[in-house]
Amino acid sequence: MIKHDSLIMNFDGEVAVVTGAATGIGEMCAKLFASRGANVVVMDFDKKGVERVANDITGSGGKALVACLDLTDWLAIQKSVKRIENEAGHIHSLVHSAGGFPQYISLTDLPVDEWDDIVDNNLKSFFLLLKAITPLMKKNNYGRIISLSSAAARVATHSPHYTASKGGLLSLTRQAAKEFGPFGITVNSVAPANVNTPRTIAMRTEEQMDRIRKNSPLGRMCDPEEIAWPILFLCSRQASYITGVTLDVNGGIIMI
Ligand SMILES: NC(=O)c1ccc[n+]([C@@H]2O[C@H](COP(=O)([O-])OP(=O)(O)OC[C@H]3O[C@@H](n4cnc5c(N)ncnc54)[C@H](O)[C@@H]3O)[C@@H](O)[C@H]2O)c1
């Protein structure tokens, strides 16, 4: 008989690349993957952050590789993927959590350069990662890919560059799911709303946090772990028939 407990969300012998892993949701995904047996590539351009997270993982008996690079740099991504292939052999999962936005701003006030930066950071980075990593996954006829979108892609409550790039991620996720499905690769997106990460806490006043809590059907904000577990599920063997999906993990704020 199959022992379900030992198999569910078990990543023993697998390699998981997590971008934006120096903090927030990416850090939590990296740590949960490691706690479930994966060798984790902790990828981010924040050198101190990735080293801290990798040390935390290895310090608690897990396996981690550090990859410090700018995810808008095509050559750097290619080099990094080659290194991972040489050192770890394969990439089973990719979670693209790197991204974000610097400020709330109207379309009229938005500088053109800032549009380019944010769209590159959130969206082009995912295209470059797909282009570099899927050939390796195709060779092994297996892969799990997750993009981090946002509730901002579902309703117009944010800044134009952020909403457009997160909306673009949903389309690119579906496009990739279609192209790579025949190679055993699933591609899905997770769309959070208000998550208690260091960045969002620093950006918001206590008054704004109170308003968010009051507006949430669950009456509270979300912890990074509550986004990371659904991501791990979508990366698990158990999620083998789920692809092209956007999972809205937002405490019901949009649906209710
Ligand atoms: N926190 C939220 O409330 C929330 C809500 C909806 C969606 N999201 C999305 O989830 C993801 C993670 O959110 P978070 O709050 O943990 O983010 P965060 O800002 O705390 O962390 C993002 C990480 O990405 C890294 N990064 C950014 N651009 C990079 C680049 N070009 N190259 C390499 N590294 C880069 C940063 O150094 C940072 O460590 C983001 O894509 C964000 O847009 C977050």
Side-chain angles (χ1 to χ4, degrees), residues 107-128:
L107 193 150
T108 315
D109 293 336
L110 178 62
V112 173
D113 288 354
E114 194 178 311
W115 167 277
D116 289 342
D117 284 351
I118 293 304
V119 175
D120 280 2
N121 229 25
N122 288 322
L123 181 58
K124 183 181 172 189
S125 55
F126 188 50
F127 158 65
L128 297 179

Side-chain angles (χ1 to χ4, degrees), residues 50 71 77 106 118 125 161 175 235 244 252:
V50 277
L71 292 160
I77 290 181
S106 71
I118 293 304
S125 55
H161 47 354
Q175 184 71 30
C235 289

Side-chain angles (χ1 to χ4, degrees), residues 159-171:
S159 312
H161 47 354
Y162 187 66
T163 53
S165 59
K166 292 297 182 181
L169 276 177
L170 299 187
S171 311

Side-chain angles (χ1 to χ4, degrees), residues 19 88 107 125 218 222:
T19 76
L107 193 150
S125 55
L218 293 178
C222 174

